[in-house]
């Protein structure tokens, strides 16, 4: 019997190694898998490359992971916010590397990795600082920039409900990066509010099919 | 000098958003435009984090941390609205499915170049978000901004001095002094604040203006 349900948050993140590339879902705090991040902080992996839209808000979740000094590099679109003080301090001290990418290119680079695309030409960013040094091409009279996929060792995402096959549904705008990150990582770990029995999720409304998910774990006992 | 108020600018932008339009309102000043869309006009507001049919802010106590806009403020979803992931949300922009986006700006050049993400300050932490995707993605890009900086420099320029967000992407500019169209011939004045002369407007603008029809 296939059972992707992890017995605990600790077990779910136990094999994330030093130097891993870890995608973390969420847009700000909506969809941020905070229980998995807390477990990762406790687990102790270091020198991580993190992929997220932002660079942490306040003192919890991704901000806490940064504050704990576990992040070597962050790939994101919008690290500067009123409450991103942990990232700001590390960045100004030269303790974290930043790869800034426009938000849509970030999403598509993640999606491309999940879809097996080796690169794609995007019109976004053409003629700007963020396209400097990248290959460009004119296609049907419009200029495009070659963008590369972002693969990850692990994706930590948050969903509303999941079953033992790894099928997921999300809640409102907390869906954001979850479905595409689930596709792009070798191992996707979903924290869910409720684990439900197989068949309880209507197949017409499953957003992430279980093929993209390796582990499901309940966010609170 | 006579100026349009920020609410008047927002109301003026709203006039140019027709029924049935799919529209993204950028964070900051452009969010005001929603207040001036008449209730009977069905306009679909898109939010980059995965909403179509975005509604107004919820009543106090009704906020939902999973239902926010691009500025991470609580919002609502109208009846008929939908949620989707980031890949689809930006496909809506990049794929040319949005009719209009309304953005703020630091500078707009006479050829429609837009600068709104970076002041070029070397000590600033760079952040871009969805600005570059919106700038090149929507069928029409409207900019809504003050005509001049707080120190009186024109934000409409012959050439942007700040790093670009997009090349030649702006179609129309709404400021506290005027409404301008970006045309192949240059910036054409459509409207001016009451009592303002073309000469006064030109004097306040660091790019050559063309008189409207």
């Amino acid at each position: 019997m296939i059972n992707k349900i992890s017995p605990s948050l600790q077990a779910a993140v136990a094999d994330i190694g030093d130097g891993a590339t870890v995608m973390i879902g969420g847009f700000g705090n909506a969809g941020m898998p905070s229980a998995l991040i807390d477990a990762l902080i406790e687990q102790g992996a270091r020198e991580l490359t993190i992929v997220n839209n932002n660079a942490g808000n306040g003192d919890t979740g991704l901000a806490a992971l940064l504050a704990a000094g576990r992040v070597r590099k962050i790939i994101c679109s919008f690290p500067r916010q009123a409450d991103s003080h942990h990232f700001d301090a590390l960045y100004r001290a030269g303790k974290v590397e930043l790869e800034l990418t426009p938000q849509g290119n970030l999403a598509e680079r993640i999606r491309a990795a999940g879809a097996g695309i080796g690169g794609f030409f995007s019109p976004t960013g053409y003629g700007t600082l963020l396209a400097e040094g990248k290959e460009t091409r004119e296609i049907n009279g419009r200029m495009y920039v070659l963008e590369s996929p972002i693969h990850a060792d692990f994706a930590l995402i948050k969903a509303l409900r999941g079953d033992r096959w790894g099928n997921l549904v999300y809640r409102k705008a907390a869906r954001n990066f979850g479905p595409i990150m689930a596709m792009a990582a070798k191992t996707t770990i979903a924290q869910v509010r409720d684990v439900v029995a197989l068949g309880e999720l209507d197949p017409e409304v499953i957003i992430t099919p279980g093929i993209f998910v390796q582990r499901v774990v309940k966010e609170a006992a | 000098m006579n100026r349009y108020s920020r609410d008047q600018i927002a109301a003026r932008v709203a006039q140019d958003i027709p029924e049935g339009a799919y529209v993204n309102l950028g964070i900051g000043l452009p969010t005001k435009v929603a207040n001036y869309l008449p209730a009977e006009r069905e306009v679909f507001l898109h939010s980059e984090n995965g909403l179509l049919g975005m509604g107004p802010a919820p009543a106090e106590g009704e906020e939902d941390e999973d239902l926010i806009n691009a500025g991470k403020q609580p919002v609502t979803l109208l009846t008929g609205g939908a949620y989707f992931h980031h890949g689809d949300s930006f496909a809506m922009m990049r794929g040319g499915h949005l009719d209009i986006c309304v953005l703020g700006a630091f500078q707009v050049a006479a050829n429609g170049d837009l600068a709104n993400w970076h002041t070029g300050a070397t000590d600033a932490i760079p952040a871009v978000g969805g600005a570059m995707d919106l700038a090149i993605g929507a069928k029409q890009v409207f900019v809504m901004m003050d005509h001049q900086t707080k120190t009186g420099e024109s934000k409409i320029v012959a050439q942007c001095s700040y790093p670009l967000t997009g090349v030649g992407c702006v179609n129309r500019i709404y400021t506290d002094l005027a409404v301008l169209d970006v045309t192949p011939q240059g910036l054409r004045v459509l409207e001016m604040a009451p009592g303002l002369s073309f000469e006064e407007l030109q004097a306040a603008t660091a790019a050559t203006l063309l008189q409207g029809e």
Side-chain angles (χ1 to χ4, degrees), chain A residues 80 92 104 142 171 173, chain B residues 64 66 94 123 125 133 136:
Chain A
R80 187 188 65 225
R92 291 193 190 286
R142 192 169 193 199
R171 186 171 183 275
Chain B
D64 183 331
D66 288 338
R94 202 190 302 107
D123 63 337
I125 295 176
D133 304 278
I136 59 87

Side-chain angles (χ1 to χ4, degrees), chain B:
Chain B
M1 200 180 296
N2 282 334
R3 294 175 187 275
Y4 296 120
S5 70
R6 295 192 149 197
D7 285 294
Q8 285 174 317
I9 305 172
R12 179 62 190 81
V13 174
Q15 274 182 28
D16 290 343
I17 298 179
E19 166 126 328
Y22 289 88
V23 179
N24 186 296
L25 302 177
I27 58 179
L29 192 55
T31 55
K32 265 188 184 289
V33 173
N35 301 340
Y36 293 94
L37 295 169
E40 69 278 8
R41 193 188 302 164
E42 290 199 318
V43 168
F44 306 99
L45 293 184
H46 170 268
S47 186
E48 66 190 25
N49 54 316
L51 308 173
L52 261 181
M54 180 170 63
E60 208 175 314
E62 302 284 305
E63 298 89 352
D64 183 331
E65 62 178 13
D66 288 338
L67 186 44
I68 58 175
N69 63 13
K72 305 189 174 74
Q73 300 153 319
V75 292
T76 51
L77 192 75
L78 301 179
T79 301
Y83 303 116
F84 36 84
H85 64 63
H86 251 76
D88 284 350
S89 183
F90 281 80
M92 290 176 195
M93 295 181 196
R94 202 190 302 107
H97 307 284
L98 289 184
D99 296 299
I100 295 166
C101 78
V102 185
L103 298 171
F106 298 144
Q107 290 177 327
V108 181
N111 68 347
D113 285 359
L114 170 68
N116 78 348
W117 74 285
H118 199 316
T119 61
T122 48
D123 63 337
I125 295 176
V128 63
M132 289 184 179
D133 304 278
L134 280 169
I136 59 87
K139 289 179 193 148
Q140 285 190 285
V141 175
F142 294 168
V143 162
M144 183 178 168
M145 65 178 188
D146 290 330
H147 204 91
Q148 296 159 302
T149 65
K150 289 193 178 70
T151 54
E153 289 161 73
S154 176
K155 295 173 72 171
I156 296 174
V157 292
Q159 204 168 0
C160 292
S161 58
Y162 290 155
L164 293 187
T165 305
V167 176
C169 56
V170 176
N171 299 97
R172 185 169 281 188
I173 309 166
Y174 303 80
T175 76
D176 49 343
L177 297 184
V179 180
L180 309 164
D181 261 349
V182 180
T183 75
Q185 292 74 40
L187 295 171
R188 188 169 294 282
V189 180
L190 300 183
E191 291 165 29
M192 291 184 286
L196 191 68
S197 73
F198 179 81
E199 289 70 27
E200 286 170 314
L201 180 65
Q202 179 64 77
T205 309
T208 305
L209 302 178
L210 304 169
Q211 298 241 33
E213 299 302 279

Side-chain angles (χ1 to χ4, degrees), chain A residues 66-113:
Chain A
L66 282 156
R70 307 293 170 72
V71 180
R72 183 184 68 76
K73 178 181 177 181
I74 189 156
I75 303 173
C76 72
S77 83
F78 206 79
R80 187 188 65 225
Q81 294 183 269
D83 58 352
S84 60
H85 44 269
H86 289 297
F87 173 81
D88 293 6
L90 290 163
Y91 181 80
R92 291 193 190 286
K95 289 181 175 165
V96 64
E97 185 187 339
L98 170 66
E99 180 180 334
L100 190 71
T101 185
Q103 198 169 328
N105 285 355
L106 178 69
E108 195 64 11
R109 291 175 65 194
I110 295 166
R111 202 197 67 80

